[in-house]
Amino acid sequence: MCGIVGVAAKREVGNILLEGWRRLEYRGYDSAGLAILNSAGNLDRLRRLGKVQSLNEAYKEKPLEGSLGIAHTRWATHGKPSEKNAHPHQSGGTAIVHNGIIENNQVLKAELQEIGYQFLSDTDSEVIVHLIDSHLKEGISLVEAVRKSVKRLDGAYAIAVISADSPDRIVAARSGCPLVLGKGIGENFVASDVLALQAVTDRFIFLEEGDLVELTSD
Ligand code: GLU
């Protein structure tokens, strides 16, 4: 299980996510990625196999702009280390990062394929983002779509979700994997551990088992 960082701010979040990654490297990982919601309301995503350094270089060549983003370092449990298996995973305008293992991923995958979802990775995590998208299509809010989705998950997870549907917020949830919120001024953070956020805040809220949070810059 590896690392998650998410930032909801009023300024560019790219460099905050890069610094968060650097601080998560000690946990070990095989690939890394990030997704940022740009000012036009679309998701931009960058993923790389291997060291955060190669992702850093790719990012410097083509920085992603926006004030809402999530990032991930992956330690593969389902599906080999590769770019297509790296997180964030995306469905429509929604992206997620996941730490942990979804035990019932095959059952959920079959259900989602039945209603037309195509899977682009070999991970257990991809079911989560399609589940959320399927609930968003019912016309409910992002937080309610995530709440409904996590009820279907067996296994361990910490997740952070962003969506073009709700461009000002991150929804995060945990069960069996750690997650901490960092409080800033006009910006707020979520991460797997406090080390990832120590450059940006010293005020933390540790989430408890089963917690689900909605996080905006305020
Ligand atoms: N089970 C997921 C995967 O293999 C998440 C792994 C992790 O926690 O990094 O992609």
Side-chain angles (χ1 to χ4, degrees):
M1 274 172 220
C2 256
I4 286 176
V5 190
V7 186
K10 299 187 200 311
R11 56 174 169 146
E12 295 295 325
V13 295
N15 283 322
I16 308 174
L17 293 171
L18 294 188
E19 178 62 20
W21 264 331
R22 206 182 58 70
R23 290 167 178 260
L24 286 172
E25 277 195 289
Y26 80 96
R27 295 166 77 105
Y29 61 96
D30 54 57
S31 52
L34 85 167
I36 293 181
L37 197 70
N38 66 31
S39 53
N42 300 314
L43 284 176
D44 289 322
R45 200 164 47 137
L46 190 61
R47 299 179 295 170
R48 285 289 184 280
L49 179 63
K51 294 293 160 199
V52 159
Q53 188 53 29
S54 72
L55 196 59
N56 262 320
E57 279 157 19
Y59 181 87
K60 283 197 179 107
E61 263 171 41
K62 193 180 168 291
L64 308 187
E65 288 171 4
S67 55
L68 187 81
I70 50 176
H72 188 258
T73 50
R74 177 177 188 238
W75 192 272
T77 65
H78 293 61
K80 66 175 193 277
S82 66
E83 195 166 310
K84 75 166 185 177
N85 288 336
H87 302 214
H89 294 289
Q90 193 172 341
S91 186
T94 302
I96 66 135
V97 287
H98 166 230
N99 284 158
I101 292 175
I102 304 306
E103 310 282 0
N104 60 338
N105 71 86
Q106 289 301 328
V107 176
L108 295 172
K109 183 173 178 177
E111 277 180 30
L112 289 158
Q113 282 173 326
E114 189 84 359
I115 57 170
Y117 283 97
Q118 283 185 348
F119 282 73
L120 301 176
S121 79
D122 308 313
T123 65
D124 52 333
S125 313
E126 194 181 346
V127 294
I128 308 172
V129 73
H130 295 311
L131 256 182
I132 295 168
D133 182 74
S134 72
H135 289 308
L136 283 173
K137 288 196 169 118
E138 295 163 8
I140 60 178
S141 66
L142 181 62
V143 69
E144 289 311 321
V146 175
R147 196 191 306 279
K148 266 181 120 166
S149 300
V150 296
K151 283 192 180 140
R152 298 289 321 280
L153 305 179
D154 294 337
Y157 59 83
I159 58 170
V161 187
I162 57 174
S163 178
D165 228 69
S166 297
D168 64 340
R169 64 199 59 213
I170 297 174
V171 176
R174 67 155 285 194
S175 180
C177 294
L179 213 48
V180 61
L181 300 185
K183 292 178 72 178
I185 298 166
E187 53 194 24
N188 289 303
F189 314 91
V190 61
S192 308
D193 69 39
V194 296
L195 288 178
L197 301 178
Q198 269 172 346
V200 281
T201 187
D202 56 7
R203 294 188 297 153
F204 299 105
I205 299 170
F206 293 91
L207 297 186
E208 292 178 5
E209 278 296 285
D211 276 351
L212 183 130
V213 298
E214 213 175 2
L215 191 76
T216 65
S217 58
D218 294 317

